[in-house]
Amino acid sequence: MGKPRHYAWGGESFIPSLIGRDNPGNKPFAEWWLGAHPDDSSLVVVDGNHQSLLDWLKIHNEVQDEEERQGEFPLPFLMKILDVEHMLAIQVHPTKAQAEEGFIRQDKLGIGRTAPERTYRDRNDKPEMMVALTPCWLAHGFATRATIISRFALYATFNQLSDQMQLFGIEAAFERLMKMPQCQVNELLGEVVDIHRYPYSRCELNQQLPEYWVCRAVLDQRSGYDRGLLAMLMMNIVHIPVGQGIYQGAGVPHAYLAGQNIEIMSNSDNVVRIGPTKLHVDLDEALRLIDYQEVVPKILHPEGGQESIRQYSHGGTAAFRLQ
Ligand SMILES: [Zn+2]
């Protein structure tokens, strides 16, 4: 039996109906975890009693306490169902080496393993592969320089950033965008929202445009003028049809924007967030981890000829099999 996560961005009905549970308090059911992460292990039934899957694996795999103390877990993967009602924070995940270093660093700083302000909650990387259960949208990696420059050119307040992009490239422009004072963030997002408010309200704004998702976050979801929304203007907006998927490796900035999906990742909760979110933001660490390459999104199609089995793979290093 899995465990729910009630993050504020989750929908109220998809996961409860999937698992046959009532939701009388209309809590957001954002994620359903199936795995053995110490923060929320699934339960198994043993001799008629519920037991933590993590504890069961510890007994049967003879995992040493020392290994768990060091953040090593007996199950290498974690599976989730996600119901994305509101956009998630623009985020990035570390490599295994970065996670090891960050975990030790935050231990030395005395930040508790489950403290809200902790970024590295375990020592693992968190490559993610998702398959859409309903039509899904996400922000994924940096768009090409030419695309970003053409987007910036639409707005008077983006003049200087456009110059920065032309002269110094994506990293310099992104860092400037992420570190500008809040009053400038307000000015930039204010112009974006003002220009697109009317077509958005009439459902005439194309969902492929980042501006659609900026308007949705600001006007419908009350996210405020969060700098994470500016990040979307430099990113690819990707639509994933039902049954297709995408892989997100370390360093690729991304955020789910809408839809329901099933996701498999290594057994980790290491999320380095930019925003918008009410959870912990670690902007400096995100800027350090991000890979500033342009990304051409690669949609994953199911492979294999059998009707009942769908297999997805990414470069032979990660695979996901649905039956
Ligand atoms: Zn992620």
Side-chain angles (χ1 to χ4, degrees), residues 91 93 126 128 254:
Q91 57 191 255
H93 305 300
K126 192 172 178 282
E128 301 168 336
H254 62 278

Side-chain angles (χ1 to χ4, degrees), residues 222-271:
R222 308 272 169 227
S223 67
Y225 283 166
D226 189 287
R227 67 192 63 233
L229 301 177
L230 287 176
M232 279 201 287
L233 293 175
M234 296 184 67
M235 296 171 70
N236 299 297
I237 302 297
V238 185
H239 175 243
I240 312 282
V242 175
Q244 297 180 17
I246 197 162
Y247 170 81
Q248 307 192 97
V252 177
H254 62 278
Y256 293 130
L257 302 174
Q260 286 105 12
N261 71 66
I262 184 166
E263 192 182 38
I264 192 151
M265 66 210 71
S266 63
N267 197 1
S268 175
D269 197 22
N270 286 330
V271 184

Side-chain angles (χ1 to χ4, degrees), residues 260-323:
Q260 286 105 12
N261 71 66
I262 184 166
E263 192 182 38
I264 192 151
M265 66 210 71
S266 63
N267 197 1
S268 175
D269 197 22
N270 286 330
V271 184
V272 189
R273 297 179 193 85
I274 290 176
T277 181
K278 290 188 168 54
L279 299 173
H280 178 55
V281 168
D282 196 342
L283 181 59
D284 288 337
E285 192 69 1
L287 293 176
R288 200 175 71 80
L289 298 188
I290 284 175
D291 179 349
Y292 293 92
Q293 302 296 314
E294 297 175 1
V295 171
V296 177
K298 188 178 165 205
I299 307 293
L300 304 176
H301 300 270
E303 299 164 1
Q306 292 180 57
E307 188 65 25
S308 59
I309 297 175
R310 295 182 198 167
Q311 189 163 303
Y312 302 80
S313 66
H314 169 77
T317 55
F320 194 4
R321 205 164 188 237
L322 292 178
Q323 194 160 1

